[in-house]
Amino acid sequence: MNDIIYDIELTPLETTSESLTGRIHNILYDSNFYFIHDKRNNKLLRFNKNGKFLNSIGTIGKGPQELLRIRDVAINTEKKFISILDSKSRKVSRYRYSGEFIDSKPFYYMVSEHEYGNNSLVYGPP
């Protein structure tokens, strides 16, 4: 293990009524922020590198800027935005790190994963 892991650092996350998590599905990191995908509560939370809760990203609902079921999350560290794959609404929505909505695009086939490669989204099969 010493050849693979050089150091382990524990960062306790701030727990408030807004930042409680039920089941962490994914953790993404961009030099100053942690993005926590809470699958049980269907939300995405942003914390700073010291664990302080900053904001939620996305709103649950059926409106054009809202999400029904967060399936996957990807970040574009260069442009500083995050995209959320909504499997129930069959769309990908993009947000700034602050939580401000940018846009959303429908997808016409089932996908379960996505990631940024050369600033373009790459989709994975269901």
Side-chain angles (χ1 to χ4, degrees):
M1 285 297 262
N2 290 341
D3 294 336
I4 300 170
I5 300 173
Y6 300 105
D7 190 23
I8 295 175
E9 187 176 315
L10 179 64
T11 302
L13 301 177
E14 178 182 14
T15 53
T16 65
S17 59
E18 293 178 298
S19 67
L20 288 177
T21 59
R23 185 173 136 219
I24 295 175
H25 179 70
N26 199 359
I27 300 173
L28 300 164
Y29 180 71
D30 177 8
S31 62
N32 292 311
F33 305 107
Y34 292 101
F35 297 91
I36 310 292
H37 172 198
D38 178 356
K39 196 165 188 169
R40 177 175 290 151
N41 296 314
N42 198 33
K43 60 184 176 179
L44 181 65
L45 307 170
R46 182 174 68 121
F47 296 84
N48 71 14
K49 65 182 178 182
N50 298 319
K52 179 173 175 32
F53 174 68
L54 300 173
N55 62 291
S56 291
I57 298 173
T59 304
I60 304 305
K62 293 182 179 183
Q65 297 182 16
E66 298 175 326
L67 305 162
L68 286 175
R69 183 177 300 135
I70 298 172
R71 168 77 174 146
D72 191 40
V73 178
I75 56 174
N76 184 319
T77 57
E78 186 177 311
K79 294 186 178 182
K80 303 293 184 205
F81 61 75
I82 192 155
S83 64
I84 298 174
L85 180 72
D86 181 344
S87 61
K88 195 161 189 169
S89 295
R90 297 184 82 148
K91 65 182 177 181
V92 174
S93 297
R94 295 187 310 161
Y95 298 85
R96 299 195 193 295
Y97 282 8
S98 64
E100 177 188 352
F101 177 77
I102 299 172
D103 62 12
S104 75
K105 297 186 181 208
F107 54 90
Y108 302 102
Y109 49 90
M110 196 55 167
V111 296
S112 62
E113 299 173 339
H114 71 303
E115 189 61 56
Y116 283 94
N118 297 327
N119 282 322
S120 298
L121 277 174
V122 179
Y123 296 96

